[in-house]
Amino acid sequence: MTGPSAPPQTSPATRLALGSVVVAVVVLGLKFVAYGLTGSVALYSDALESIINVAAAVAAVIALRVAARPADAGHPYGHTKAEYFSAVAEGVLIVLAAVSIAREAWPVLFNPRPVDAPFAGLAVNLGASVLNALWASVLLRRGRALRSPALLADGRHVLSDVVTSVGVLIGVLAARFTGLPVLDPLLALLVALNILYSGWHLVRDSVGGLMDAAVDAQTEGRIRALLSEHGEGALEMHDLRTRHAGRVTFIEFHMVVPGDMTVSGAHAICDRLEDALRAEMPDANVTIHVEPQEQAKHHGVLVL
């Protein structure tokens, strides 16, 4: 009789996503304090974008938990694509935030109001931006290391929030020192456009993953080099196909071997190739179609 199984451990990516929720809530609070101190519609737009950061961080946590589930009968290739849904959802939320910002800023554009006592509010907003910048660097660095689309999307969004905040700070100061309060709603509208641009890139990159886009040219070149380097004994390799699914890279190709080669011999070449690929890409899923010499396409030349 066995005891109860241990609960699944939280993955490093999920722990980072949980950290994003905490950071996003803190930044959101700071930015609304800044808005309350100044009455600036530009700072209000900056705070609205931070609401999206909170929602996106929560979505990333959920997606990463789903993506961490092992393959099962209903999902034999695993659940790693769930991370892309998080990034798509974040892009949609960004669009909604941009619409909300524009709706708030448009009437103020025709009836601008002075920005009240901005310096304390700007200092609070600056502190929130510094916190965001530090966290964005962590997400981007660890997201690349863990090959996590959800973390990379969250990191890029937080980084765009930092850029937006810096622009807002400059604009509010300009409105104060030039005596032109119309600069405040104008800047808010520019913030909305910048957010839309960021959202478009997130959706585009995530849809590429959902549509089984191939790996980038540099990665494909490295795959080809590894196959050529470790393919001794094979006559030819062709029809290379790749795709991403979250952190997993799927690699598939055909390998032609001499007609008199034993199954064991062909299997040994496959093992050597798989080991070489996984040494460089630990989460690679490799499928090799072994074919006899009669199926060669390039007459014995080792090509892909």
Side-chain angles (χ1 to χ4, degrees):
M1 183 174 180
T2 59
S5 59
Q9 293 186 346
T10 303
S11 69
T14 303
R15 288 195 292 272
L16 283 165
L18 288 168
S20 280
V21 175
V22 175
V23 172
V25 169
V26 172
V27 169
L28 174 64
L30 290 173
K31 288 190 174 182
F32 269 106
V33 168
Y35 165 63
L37 290 171
T38 64
S40 164
V41 68
L43 289 182
Y44 176 73
S45 70
D46 200 18
L48 273 182
E49 187 180 5
S50 293
I51 294 177
I52 304 305
N53 288 353
V54 175
V58 172
V61 171
I62 296 171
L64 285 164
R65 286 187 179 277
V66 174
R69 294 176 184 170
D72 54 36
H75 303 85
Y77 292 98
H79 300 77
T80 51
K81 277 194 175 183
E83 291 195 44
Y84 292 115
F85 288 101
S86 166
V88 170
E90 184 169 350
V92 173
L93 289 171
I94 288 172
V95 172
L96 293 176
V99 172
S100 298
I101 292 168
R103 186 178 62 183
E104 179 71 19
W106 187 253
V108 181
L109 185 65
F110 299 99
N111 187 26
R113 55 178 181 255
V115 177
D116 299 323
F119 298 110
L122 291 179
V124 173
N125 193 274
L126 178 61
S129 298
V130 170
L131 177 59
N132 253 354
L134 293 173
W135 187 244
S137 67
V138 171
L139 288 175
L140 291 172
R141 185 177 69 253
R142 295 296 294 149
R144 292 188 190 101
L146 297 171
R147 299 185 54 164
S148 169
L151 289 181
L152 286 172
D154 201 18
R156 289 178 187 130
H157 182 203
V158 173
L159 186 60
S160 74
D161 190 24
V162 174
V163 174
T164 298
S165 297
V166 171
V168 165
L169 290 172
I170 294 172
V172 172
L173 284 172
R176 174 64 183 265
F177 286 113
T178 63
L180 297 173
V182 73
L183 292 176
D184 187 37
L186 275 176
L187 188 66
L189 291 171
L190 290 175
V191 167
L193 290 174
N194 178 65
I195 293 172
L196 279 174
Y197 181 75
S198 172
W200 156 248
H201 276 276
L202 282 178
V203 171
R204 184 195 63 182
D205 293 345
S206 302
V207 169
L210 290 172
M211 293 296 291
D212 291 335
V215 299
D216 59 80
Q218 182 178 356
T219 302
E220 182 175 327
R222 184 56 186 153
I223 291 171
R224 291 177 183 274
L226 287 169
L227 295 181
S228 296
E229 181 181 349
H230 297 277
E232 183 181 357
L235 298 177
E236 170 184 306
M237 284 175 271
H238 57 248
D239 293 348
L240 173 66
R241 295 193 297 175
T242 62
R243 66 182 176 91
H244 279 310
R247 68 181 181 279
V248 179
T249 300
F250 288 86
I251 304 169
E252 180 181 343
F253 59 92
H254 294 222
M255 182 179 76
V256 179
V257 298
D260 59 354
M261 179 175 282
T262 65
V263 173
S264 295
H267 190 267
I269 300 173
C270 291
D271 282 346
R272 189 167 67 245
L273 290 170
E274 290 174 5
D275 289 344
L277 290 167
R278 291 191 180 119
E280 189 144 330
M281 292 172 281
D283 293 310
N285 186 307
V286 184
T287 301
I288 306 173
H289 301 269
V290 179
E291 299 176 339
Q293 187 170 357
E294 294 76 18
Q295 299 296 319
K297 290 185 176 182
H298 303 276
H299 308 290
V301 180
L302 188 66
V303 297
L304 291 161

